[in-house]
């Protein structure tokens, strides 16, 4: 490559590349994830020369954006970037950056990007390909999954180190202490431990919570419902099969509970000995099960 200003081939290009690498290393030494606006993104990520790969998280972290998924994804992204920054394999071949919509809206427009968060890999040579965009909807945004994707795109292996979190241990210890205290206080009256109905109700609560999507709500943090700003119509069921609202999971929970209650009533009526009232409840519970099943279908 010949420089149009300098008579020496590649000399200016090498100086420019060295300056860019030094600047990126300086920023990375201060913070594992380098924040970029539009100018920095175009100069250090898009424009050549560049002999390093860049992972960019496009996000919207400002409170007014109300993007809970962005905050959760940012936490995982920070864990991954810190694992790379403080590992023995750290080098100037890979950098982690972030572009917030309120700081680089022009970048979003330039890339025709209308959703956040989005992870992209900008290779050291050439333009990003389709595989350089992380499939967040299908894989999720866990640090381990991001590290695997980066290894496939850059051959850089990152071992994820998570900071210790003792909140779960403390909560478990408090729960065990509470249960132990109750058992000690009622040590002379422990018949409730052998109550099959109580254990069955507890098991059903766990099953209803898991099958209705409560764990998905905890991970993704979706809104309770969606109100259309144009016509004011409220939607309680998401239009996509890959997402849901909190209200939708509550509806599923109630439907599952109704089906289970109908099955219990059917079983009770079937085991009764000629009781007319129970036989009538048999037909009633059967009707409940059928109607609720039709609604679910």
């Amino acid at each position: 490559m010949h420089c149009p200003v300098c008579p020496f081939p590649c000399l200016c290009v090498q100086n420019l590349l060295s300056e860019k690498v030094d600047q990126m290393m300086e920023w990375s030494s201060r913070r594992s994830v380098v924040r970029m606006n539009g100018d920095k993104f175009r100069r250090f990520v898009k424009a050549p020369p560049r002999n390093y790969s860049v992972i960019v998280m496009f996000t919207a972290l400002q409170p007014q954006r109300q993007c809970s998924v962005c905050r959760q994804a940012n936490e995982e992204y920070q864990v991954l970037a810190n694992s790379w920054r403080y590992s023995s394999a750290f080098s100037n071949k890979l950098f982690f950056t972030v572009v917030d919509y309120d700081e680089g809206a022009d970048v979003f427009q330039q890339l025709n990007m209308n959703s956040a968060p989005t992870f992209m890999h900008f290779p050291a040579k050439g333009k990003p390909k389709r595989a350089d965009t992380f499939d967040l909807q299908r894989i999720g945004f866990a640090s381990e999954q991001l590290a695997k994707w980066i290894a496939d795109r850059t051959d850089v292996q990152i071992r994820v180190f998570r900071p210790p979190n003792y909140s779960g241990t403390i909560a478990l210890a408090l729960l065990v202490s509470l249960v132990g205290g109750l058992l000690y206080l009622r040590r002379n009256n422990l018949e409730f431990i052998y109550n099959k109905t109580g254990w069955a109700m507890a098991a059903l609560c766990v099953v209803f919570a898991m099958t209705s999507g409560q764990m998905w709500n905890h991970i993704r943090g979706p809104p309770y419902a969606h109100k259309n700003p144009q016509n004011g119509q409220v939607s309680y069921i998401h239009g996509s099969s890959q997402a849901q609202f909190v209200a939708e999971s509550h509806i599923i929970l109630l439907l599952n509970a109704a089906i289970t209650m109908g099955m219990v009533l059917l079983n009770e009526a079937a085991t009764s000995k000629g009781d007319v009232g129970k036989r009538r409840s048999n037909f009633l519970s059967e009707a409940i099960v059928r109607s609720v099943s039709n609604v679910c279908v």
Side-chain angles (χ1 to χ4, degrees):
M1 179 182 295
H2 291 267
C3 176
V5 178
C6 177
F8 301 100
C10 298
L11 183 58
C12 288
V13 175
Q14 292 177 0
N15 291 337
L16 179 59
L17 178 60
S18 178
E19 291 177 2
K20 293 174 67 174
V21 172
D22 292 342
Q23 183 65 73
M24 291 292 289
M25 288 294 291
E26 180 183 351
W27 285 335
S28 297
S29 64
R30 299 175 185 175
R31 185 178 295 178
S32 300
V33 177
V34 180
R35 298 189 67 90
M36 288 194 166
N37 53 24
D39 294 335
K40 289 182 179 180
F41 175 81
R42 284 183 286 272
R43 180 182 177 188
F44 292 94
V45 179
K46 291 282 291 183
R50 192 177 71 251
N51 63 351
Y52 52 85
S53 296
V54 184
I55 307 297
V56 184
M57 176 184 176
F58 299 94
T59 185
L61 294 174
Q62 296 301 320
Q64 65 269 20
R65 300 300 174 185
Q66 297 182 355
C67 183
S68 59
V69 179
C70 294
R71 293 191 294 269
Q72 296 171 6
N74 182 64
E75 293 176 358
E76 292 294 315
Y77 191 57
Q78 293 287 344
V79 169
L80 179 61
N82 288 329
S83 300
W84 167 244
R85 173 64 183 83
Y86 297 105
S87 69
S88 59
F90 175 74
S91 67
N92 57 7
K93 298 301 181 182
L94 178 65
F95 296 100
F96 288 85
T97 65
V98 61
V99 177
D100 193 280
Y101 180 81
D102 292 280
E103 299 176 2
D106 53 337
V107 177
F108 280 74
Q109 296 175 0
Q110 180 183 355
L111 298 177
N112 295 322
M113 192 173 300
N114 54 12
S115 64
T118 300
F119 298 94
M120 287 188 63
H121 164 244
F122 291 83
K125 296 181 180 180
K127 297 180 179 180
K129 301 178 181 179
R130 183 175 181 179
D132 287 310
T133 300
F134 183 69
D135 192 353
L136 185 145
Q137 292 292 337
R138 184 176 63 88
I139 304 176
F141 47 75
S143 300
E144 291 76 9
Q145 298 297 335
L146 286 169
K148 183 178 179 180
W149 169 68
I150 292 174
D152 294 337
R153 306 310 303 164
T154 65
D155 293 331
V156 175
Q157 304 291 333
I158 303 177
R159 183 179 178 184
V160 178
F161 293 95
R162 294 185 177 274
N165 185 0
Y166 300 105
S167 58
T169 304
I170 295 175
L172 180 60
L174 291 176
L175 179 61
V176 172
S177 301
L178 178 62
V179 173
L182 291 175
L183 292 177
Y184 178 77
L185 293 176
R186 300 193 59 178
R187 59 186 181 275
N188 297 325
N189 185 18
L190 298 180
E191 290 82 3
F192 68 94
I193 296 180
Y194 304 98
N195 190 331
K196 296 181 180 180
T197 303
W199 286 107
M201 294 297 294
L204 284 176
C205 291
V206 175
V207 171
F208 292 155
M210 294 301 174
T211 57
S212 63
Q214 296 300 320
M215 186 58 65
W216 194 94
N217 294 339
H218 177 73
I219 296 174
R220 296 297 183 91
Y224 187 83
H226 174 70
K227 184 177 182 180
N228 193 323
Q230 298 179 354
N231 54 23
Q233 183 179 2
V234 180
S235 299
Y236 297 99
I237 298 179
H238 201 281
S240 173
S241 61
Q242 297 181 349
Q244 70 177 21
F245 298 132
V246 176
E248 185 175 350
S249 64
H250 291 170
I251 294 172
I252 298 299
L253 188 149
L254 293 176
L255 291 176
N256 289 339
I259 294 175
T260 303
M261 180 60 67
M263 295 300 297
V264 171
L265 293 176
L266 283 173
N267 181 70
E268 290 292 333
T271 56
S272 63
K273 297 181 179 180
D275 192 335
V276 177
K278 289 188 176 181
R279 292 188 179 278
R280 288 179 179 176
S281 67
N282 185 1
F283 293 105
L284 177 61
S285 59
E286 183 177 359
I288 294 175
V289 173
R290 287 182 178 180
S291 60
V292 174
S293 300
N294 292 332
V295 171
C296 293
V297 174

